Amino acid sequence: MIPGAALYRTMNWMLMKDWAKFQKDGIYTILFAVSMAAGMTLTTIAFRMAWRWMYRQRRM
């Protein structure tokens, strides 16, 4: 997943050679993408742990 609007603005500043805005929006875009990936990863881990716990409870 890519934060579309933020990535568009970042690339726009790069093409316009406005390096200060490119750097500011680029850092924001990278942090946004990393936080989205971390959230999906943590949610998946929590769901799998809960699923395994429920499965083990049923087998006992």
Side-chain angles (χ1 to χ4, degrees):
M1 297 187 80
I2 299 172
L7 183 60
Y8 173 80
R9 283 191 307 272
T10 301
M11 292 300 108
N12 186 41
W13 296 131
M14 183 182 73
L15 292 174
M16 294 176 68
K17 297 182 181 180
D18 190 342
W19 303 116
K21 290 181 182 177
F22 168 72
Q23 181 182 10
K24 182 180 147 258
D25 279 351
I27 291 171
Y28 171 79
T29 303
I30 291 169
L31 291 175
F32 189 24
V34 167
S35 65
M36 285 173 46
M40 287 185 285
T41 301
L42 293 175
T43 302
T44 302
I45 290 170
F47 178 75
R48 287 184 181 187
M49 288 175 65
W51 186 259
R52 286 182 184 150
W53 180 80
M54 288 177 15
Y55 180 73
R56 287 184 186 141
Q57 293 298 317
R58 245 187 274 157
R59 293 192 75 188
M60 291 182 170

